[in-house]
Amino acid sequence: MGRESGKFEPHRWLKSGHAQTIAAAFAPRAFALSAGEERLFRVETETQLKGICHWQEGKRHDLPVIVIVHGLEGSSDSNYMRGIADKALAKGFHSVRMNQRNCGGTERLTPTLYNSGLSGDYHAVLMELVREGFERIFFAGYSMGGNLVTKMAGELGEGAPKQLRGVAVVCPALDLSACADALEKSENRLYQWHFVRGLMARYRRKAELFPNKYARNGFEPIRTVREFDDRITAPYFGYKDAEEYYRSAGAKNVIAKVRVPLLLLTAQDDPFVPYETLLRARVNENPYVRFVATEYGGHCGFVSRWSGAERFWAEERIVEFVEEEAR
């Protein structure tokens, strides 16, 4: 039987949300990318973000550029970040693999922590690329990164610069409270442990670099993402508690205001970005949003039965979306 164009067909051994999530994260992959050019984007007076840029020969400003933003505890080196950049390069596009604040070994570039509401960072990146002369700019984000770039687009609304031609997101965490609750289910304890371990390790590194800003001890044991956000993220950024932070930072509040083409890919079996939260956010009621919800795919997995470029299905759909919208 042949392949139906654009339809996701999971690998025969990966027909569960957990299998898809884990396989995509840990499957060994090879990429044709060069090391790329490091670039610092100043997003606040004391804060810079590091991007890894892959420019086509000549760095033509009329070629599409895809700015890619990773998820919680990821980095510019995450497999999907490299995968999208690799596919973009093959299509003749530029790409910029961004590190969120403190990620990818960039703790010294900012005195702050990071959180899911810092959409202004990516607005700053967008405007720097606009000032440089790039004519067709796209953003892609996975999970937390998907929330950030959706929030940016929604906040810009009708005022989005003409150079922002589209946004593509995969399993975006638009409802942060619901995602934190889902992580507390017993079947998700491995993910919870992974995230908390990474967040605490990053916080300890920040405390070593900025001892006058961050306490090294005095916390009760932190075992969940919600506890981390309640005791560290929320108070640092001026929120009363995690719930207030989640309400403020979730892009579900502004997705109705998006006025650029937005591709939203999700899986109905995502273990910790519940499918029903996207339905409650009424994402499909905005005519600018192309909402695709597959039966399988897990959290940012989408490992297909097909080899080659289609193996990591969501990456291919993102580059395909850019190709369509850049015309």
Side-chain angles (χ1 to χ4, degrees):
M1 183 179 291
R3 179 172 71 241
E4 182 179 339
S5 178
K7 181 181 178 182
F8 177 62
E9 298 178 62
H11 192 285
R12 61 177 178 158
W13 294 337
L14 303 175
K15 292 188 177 181
S16 81
H18 296 301
Q20 282 280 336
T21 303
I22 294 168
F26 295 106
R29 298 180 61 180
F31 304 102
L33 289 171
S34 63
E37 172 190 308
E38 290 191 5
R39 174 171 175 165
L40 298 181
F41 294 84
R42 187 166 297 280
V43 297
E44 286 182 350
T45 303
E46 296 183 290
T47 296
Q48 297 180 94
L49 302 185
K50 185 172 81 172
I52 308 299
C53 306
H54 300 277
W55 307 119
Q56 297 289 337
E57 187 176 355
K59 198 179 177 181
R60 285 170 43 191
H61 288 166
D62 61 327
L63 294 178
V65 53
I66 311 176
V67 181
I68 318 164
V69 184
H70 61 80
L72 183 65
E73 291 305 290
S75 76
S76 60
D77 285 333
S78 296
N79 272 345
Y80 54 83
M81 300 284 284
R82 290 179 175 273
I84 296 168
D86 203 29
K87 291 175 171 65
L89 187 69
K91 286 283 189 182
F93 307 153
H94 306 305
S95 67
V96 182
R97 296 184 284 125
M98 296 301 306
N99 287 286
Q100 293 194 44
R101 298 188 189 198
N102 301 302
C103 297
T106 65
E107 286 89 353
R108 294 181 182 275
L109 295 181
T110 177
T112 77
L113 302 176
Y114 77 139
N115 76 55
S116 291
L118 296 171
S119 48
D121 286 3
Y122 302 98
H123 183 205
V125 172
L126 167 64
M127 296 314 296
E128 185 167 329
L129 293 173
V130 168
R131 288 191 296 272
E132 191 168 328
F134 288 99
E135 300 169 11
R136 294 182 287 177
I137 303 168
F138 294 81
F139 279 75
Y142 272 50
S143 193
M144 176 183 176
N147 180 72
L148 283 160
V149 299
T150 301
K151 186 169 180 281
M152 176 195 73
E155 290 166 344
L156 288 171
E158 299 281 0
K162 65 181 181 180
Q163 294 88 345
L164 178 60
R165 299 289 292 272
V167 173
V169 296
V170 178
C171 302
L174 306 186
D175 186 333
L176 298 166
S177 183
C179 295
D181 288 345
L183 280 170
E184 294 183 13
K185 294 180 179 179
S186 59
E187 63 265 29
N188 289 334
R189 59 185 176 273
L190 176 64
Y191 311 122
Q192 180 94 273
W193 172 82
H194 168 75
F195 288 137
V196 172
R197 184 182 67 160
L199 288 165
M200 290 305 299
R202 193 176 308 284
Y203 179 79
R204 285 191 289 269
R205 290 196 292 274
K206 291 297 286 190
E208 290 173 2
L209 289 169
F210 301 94
N212 296 326
K213 199 172 184 67
Y214 301 105
R216 295 190 183 210
N217 47 47
F219 298 109
E220 296 178 16
I222 291 176
R223 299 186 178 90
T224 69
V225 170
R226 185 181 284 273
E227 288 177 354
F228 182 90
D229 288 334
D230 213 34
R231 297 174 193 170
I232 296 177
T233 309
Y236 175 79
F237 286 100
Y239 298 106
K240 178 179 69 174
D241 54 22
E243 196 59 35
E244 184 177 78
Y245 155 52
Y246 293 155
R247 284 197 302 270
S248 173
K252 68 176 185 176
N253 302 322
V254 296
I255 193 167
K257 299 178 181 179
V258 170
R259 293 295 181 269
V260 296
L262 189 150
L263 173 65
L264 194 163
L265 303 177
T266 196
Q268 296 178 42
D269 65 353
D270 189 316
F272 51 89
V273 175
Y275 172 58
E276 59 270 19
T277 64
L278 299 173
L279 299 181
R280 287 200 299 268
R282 300 179 177 179
V283 298
N284 56 337
E285 294 184 10
N286 183 336
Y288 288 87
V289 176
R290 188 189 310 175
F291 181 43
V292 180
T294 61
E295 180 179 2
Y296 303 105
H299 185 68
C300 301
F302 300 102
V303 185
S304 86
R305 61 177 289 199
W306 306 104
S307 59
E310 287 287 336
R311 173 70 82 197
F312 293 92
W313 179 85
E315 298 171 5
E316 187 68 9
R317 299 289 76 75
I318 288 170
V319 175
E320 183 180 81
F321 167 78
V322 170
E323 186 173 35
E324 291 172 1
E325 297 296 336
R327 290 173 183 155

